[in-house]
Amino acid sequence: KQEVTQIPAALSVPEGENLVLNCSFTDSAIYNLQWFRQDPGKGLTSLLLIQSSQREQTSGRLNASLDKSSGRSTLYIAASQPGDSATYLCAVTDQAGTALIFGKGTTLSVSS
Amino acid sequence: KAGVTQTPRYLIKTRGQQVTLSCSPISGHRSVSWYQQTPGQGLQFLFEYFSETQRNKGNFPGRFSGRQFSNSRSEMNVSTLELGDSALYLCASSLDGPNTGELFFGEGSRLTVL
């Protein structure tokens, strides 16, 4: 059974710092991995999608990498800003490819 | 381009009642998924529909059901509500399913069961 773990559960950093969020999964048979952001009381906003054949994706200050063989992904946020404060969720597809399995998320707080 | 629309956004029910939630996917998307989010369990998969067919169902009791219409809009129903059903219910749409592309989520329907 696929399990997704995100470490750390919470992170506080000063503005301007570069940071890395970690995601690990137990079954490497995934179709893709997706990173989301969730603001309090809101829905999920898609940040990056990495297909299983890809190693990384970049969007602005965000870079996500995928190492399927080791069951790991990292989300790198450059030059963090207070507006980056949110919960970041990692999700992988299940074996059927019709559902996402989510980690519990990392809650990020960026202070000015 | 309009995003995923969920209605109602907030609702309060009492135990034993039933509730129907609605989701309108992004235009052109044929796959609609539903997820339940609670503080204790996080995000859990409920079911996924593609072209009016349920392709996958999560580990939830039969009180949870759903359907998809020919225009890809979807509804989910929870009967005989329990206190533990209080949660944020999120709908997501994608072109052909989670295995082929990005999922886009709505703002959710927050259900409180008293």
Side-chain angles (χ1 to χ4, degrees), chain B residues 29-100:
Chain B
H29 285 194
R30 296 183 292 175
S31 169
V32 174
S33 308
W34 288 89
Y35 292 81
Q36 180 196 65
Q37 186 176 32
T38 59
Q41 298 298 316
L43 276 149
Q44 293 185 288
F45 170 73
L46 282 159
F47 19 67
E48 191 256 1
Y49 289 89
F50 179 82
S51 293
E52 302 180 68
T53 299
Q54 184 182 92
R55 294 197 295 190
N56 197 358
K57 187 178 194 300
N59 189 25
F60 279 82
R63 300 184 297 106
F64 292 81
S65 64
R67 58 179 175 168
Q68 186 181 32
F69 302 97
S70 58
N71 61 358
S72 292
R73 191 178 70 83
S74 177
E75 288 181 348
M76 68 162 281
N77 183 275
V78 188
S79 62
T80 320
L81 285 166
E82 300 178 358
L83 296 178
D85 296 333
S86 295
L88 180 65
Y89 289 88
L90 291 162
C91 169
S93 79
S94 64
L95 273 171
D96 295 310
N99 59 325
T100 59

Side-chain angles (χ1 to χ4, degrees), chain A residues 31-32 34 36 38 41-49 51 89 93-94 96-104, chain B residues 9-10 33 35 37 40-43 45 48 55-56 88 90 97-107 110:
Chain A
Y31 288 91
N32 58 54
Q34 201 166 350
F36 296 90
Q38 186 175 32
K42 301 287 189 178
L44 276 62
T45 300
S46 176
L47 297 173
L48 290 164
L49 170 75
Q51 299 284 3
L89 294 152
T93 49
D94 70 347
T98 52
L100 288 183
I101 300 168
F102 283 84
K104 292 292 179 70
Chain B
R9 290 291 315 280
Y10 303 91
S33 308
Y35 292 81
Q37 186 176 32
Q41 298 298 316
L43 276 149
F45 170 73
E48 191 256 1
R55 294 197 295 190
N56 197 358
L88 180 65
L90 291 162
N99 59 325
T100 59
E102 211 169 348
L103 256 65
F104 297 90
F105 280 79
E107 291 290 327
R110 183 165 296 280

